Amino acid sequence: MISVLAVVLALVVGAVLIAFTNDRVQETAGYFFSRPTDLVGAVWEAVAGAYSALFQGSIYNFRAPNFFNAIRPLTETLTFATPLIAAGLGVGLAFRVGMFNIGGRGQMLIAAGAAGWVAFAVELPAGIHLIVAIVAGLLGGALWGGIVGLLKARTGAHEVIVTIMLNFVALYLIQFLLRTPGALQAPGSNNPKTPPMAATAVFPELFGPRYNLHAGFLTVIAATIFVWWLLSRSNLGFQFRAVGQNPSAARVAGINVKNVYLYAMAISGALVGLAGINQVLGTVTTGFGAGIDAGIGFDAITVALLGRSKPWGIFAAGILFGAFKAGGFAMQAAEGVPIDIVVVVQALIVLFIAAPPLVRAIFHLPTPGTTKGPEIRDVKTRKTNEVVAK
């Protein structure tokens, strides 16, 4: 409920910002006292038009000539959501173990570099080539995340500091490889960009060439099921949750907390790396540069928070943020709304999720574990009678 209401509040505040930045609203505000209805109408037109464009740009376009064109925005939303879900699962898994993985950028870059190199430099049969490229990317992300878990387990280094530093290490390493002939740089080119991915190592299109949605979306569905099973049905997942709740109690119960940190960060890195794999093998197959992460590693933190670090919650949150990304461009093109408004809405969602008491106060919700009104009086009366009787 807090997550849903946080989104509602963010959209309400976003509506206020849309109204304030609209030229027509500013114009009618100048003569508000003479014709107040003009301002109200302008505000309604600005907000309704913006959110209508957001919906038509992310879910269903009512103005399209046919059904196949009308559902194209939905496929764009799922395309944007694919890497967000994968990276969100990795960040959420680390949250469940009590670790804060903000190294998504570095893990994505290393995974993208490994998967991309296999995709354009290695010749393998179709099918096998794609699988090998995916495995290489997963291993790259797991290695980069595992370094964090190893350092925390063996030296007690804080994962926030280590992940921040490794983000820069990965960025400059990939930039160096992109400028090095024979490494990731395209042959005969001076640009810091890779060659195109081989056709045998590219995710196939799900619904044909008219849509950008590719089979990478199926991999994040499989990853969501895997994380759900891992956390809810496996012994290792129980250890993850136990350590996340209380590392000291888990250690007393016989759980090897150091190994849990290592395994958790390795799996987290592999999941975040899956986002980089989807970028280079599905979305940007013509060659990539150092900006292939596109800020997804940091957006994943928001997705994990909104999804409450639960696999299917993260899946839904990723689709929501994918809709924001897909619809934000349509909102800007159709209504002239600044694309930054979408970023502000995303930031507000994080703000409200991080402050549950604020959301409860606005909507007059009870604090978990407490009762309201007559129930409180009944409890107090019963306790008073018990004391008097004693």
Side-chain angles (χ1 to χ4, degrees), residues 39 146 156 190 195 261 355-356 381 387:
L39 177 62
N190 293 324
Y261 287 147
T381 302
V387 171

Side-chain angles (χ1 to χ4, degrees), residues 319-331:
I319 293 178
L320 175 64
F321 275 71
F324 283 153
K325 287 182 177 292
F329 297 109
M331 198 164 59

Side-chain angles (χ1 to χ4, degrees), residues 6 46 71 82 128 168 206 211 220 245 265 276-277 342 350 370 388:
I71 64 169
T82 296
I128 296 177
F168 288 100
L206 284 183
Y211 304 113
V220 299
Q245 291 290 332
M265 281 307 302
I277 295 169
V342 175
V350 178
T370 63
V388 172

